[in-house]
Amino acid sequence: MGSGRCAACRYLRRKCTDDCILSPYFPSNNPQRFVSVHRIYGASNVSKLLQRLPTHLRAEAADSLYYEAQCRLEDRVYGCVGLIFLLQQQIHAAESQLIKTQAEIAVMKSQVQHP
Amino acid sequence: MGGSSPCASCKLLRRRCAKDCIFAPYFPSDDPHKFAIVHKVFGASNVSKMLQELPIQQRGDAVSSLVYEANARVRDPVYGCVGAISYLENQVSQLQMQLAVAQTEILCIQMQQESTQILQDHKLFLLPTNNNLDTISQYLNSASSVIQDPPPLKRESLWT
């Protein structure tokens, strides 16, 4: 019979109780997931954050914390905010191009009507 | 001779603010909320470790992005910045689709214009006007004086 500890309790070398708040979201078969989140947020902060949420939202919260932690580990300066800047630039470029294309259409249509 | 006031971090953590305090340049005492929110989400110890790993010239930007992320997480405890990323990715997709539609419309207009032009050119050729009737009859008259009757065909075997 194995210890059955979740990844968090295994990493923190503590007993994993039946009501461990981290256990559903940090299973033992994915230790790296907890390590990433712990490095950026700390187990205590993650527990507090999850405790404040209703149970049905905790899985999504754990996933988004993991996503952001991974972004921060890959980009130590900007984390996921770097991606936000990039997307905002893409939106600006696409909007400009769309306005330009729509203006071209208006000119072409007016040429057809008044050759 | 008075000492300088502690930075926002050391004030919140209730400790002495050393001269080489890693937080002091980025968390001035006049903005306590900035450190409070970063501490709430990441923890002072984690922020300190993150800043220590970075060269000094990058720490300012790192703090700004941490503050941004922390604010996003406090506003939306479930999705944090990921909510904003999903929204922006959706906007990019929609704009790209609108752009594709607009570019297709340009192609259609261009094709319409080209086919209209071809039709107009074709009509001019097939339907002689008064102007080109004289020209055509002149041509036919001059051509008939040049064209002779062709010689009779000799039947030769193609296999010889």
Side-chain angles (χ1 to χ4, degrees):
Chain A
M1 203 153 79
S3 63
R5 288 187 292 178
C6 70
C9 293
R10 192 168 277 185
Y11 184 87
L12 299 169
R13 293 180 189 178
R14 67 187 190 193
K15 185 165 171 273
C16 190
T17 58
D18 287 340
D19 60 351
C20 171
I21 194 162
L22 299 175
S23 144
Y25 318 109
F26 299 99
S28 57
N29 61 357
N30 191 356
Q32 180 264 334
R33 179 179 156 98
F34 177 74
V35 170
S36 299
V37 168
H38 178 57
R39 278 181 71 182
I40 301 302
Y41 298 101
S44 170
N45 283 340
V46 175
S47 297
K48 281 185 214 166
L49 190 137
L50 292 179
Q51 262 163 8
R52 286 196 284 263
L53 292 172
T55 314
H56 69 280
L57 292 174
R58 288 177 186 172
E60 296 281 338
D63 284 347
S64 72
L65 285 168
Y66 175 54
Y67 181 93
E68 285 190 38
Q70 284 294 105
C71 286
R72 182 61 63 174
L73 290 169
E74 282 168 20
D75 183 346
R76 302 293 177 122
V77 182
Y78 297 106
C80 68
V81 179
L83 179 55
I84 289 174
F85 287 155
L86 189 67
L87 288 168
Q88 285 171 339
Q89 280 178 340
Q90 285 180 354
I91 285 168
H92 182 70
E95 279 174 345
S96 300
Q97 204 174 350
L98 185 61
I99 288 169
K100 193 178 150 203
T101 308
Q102 285 169 340
E104 274 179 47
I105 289 171
V107 166
M108 288 169 87
K109 279 183 172 171
S110 73
Q111 281 172 349
V112 165
Q113 284 162 7
H114 309 286
Chain B
M1 196 155 84
S4 56
S5 64
C7 70
S9 324
C10 294
K11 211 178 253 187
L12 186 76
L13 299 171
R14 293 182 188 174
R15 64 186 195 190
R16 192 176 74 85
C17 192
K19 261 190 194 169
D20 60 350
C21 171
I22 196 163
F23 297 120
Y26 317 106
F27 298 102
S29 56
D30 59 357
D31 190 0
H33 174 262
K34 189 176 168 189
F35 181 75
I37 203 161
V38 166
H39 177 52
K40 183 176 180 177
V41 175
F42 296 101
S45 168
N46 288 334
V47 174
S48 173
K49 279 185 219 165
M50 283 191 250
L51 292 181
Q52 271 166 6
E53 283 170 359
L54 293 171
I56 293 175
Q57 62 270 23
Q58 290 179 332
R59 290 178 187 174
D61 282 354
V63 166
S64 297
S65 70
L66 287 168
V67 170
Y68 186 101
E69 270 192 57
N71 273 309
R73 183 58 65 175
V74 165
R75 268 198 311 270
D76 184 351
V78 181
Y79 296 106
C81 274
V82 175
I85 289 169
S86 294
Y87 173 76
L88 292 171
E89 281 175 342
N90 196 28
Q91 268 200 297
V92 168
S93 294
Q94 282 190 8
L95 281 167
Q96 284 173 342
M97 221 158 47
Q98 286 175 25
L99 197 52
V101 166
Q103 285 165 342
T104 306
E105 195 174 344
I106 283 187
L107 277 174
C108 286
I109 294 173
Q110 280 173 342
M111 282 169 63
Q112 264 178 359
Q113 284 176 343
E114 280 169 21
S115 63
T116 304
Q117 190 58 49
I118 288 169
L119 272 173
Q120 280 176 351
D121 291 347
H122 196 58
K123 275 184 194 163
L124 275 172
F125 180 73
L126 286 180
L127 298 173
T129 60
N130 285 335
N131 282 340
N132 59 23
L133 258 178
D134 289 340
T135 312
I136 290 171
S137 68
Q138 280 170 22
Y139 171 75
L140 286 173
N141 286 336
S142 62
S144 65
S145 64
V146 170
I147 293 170
Q148 294 169 350
D149 289 333
L153 280 174
K154 287 182 184 173
R155 285 180 181 266
E156 283 177 0
S157 168
L158 291 171
W159 300 111
T160 56

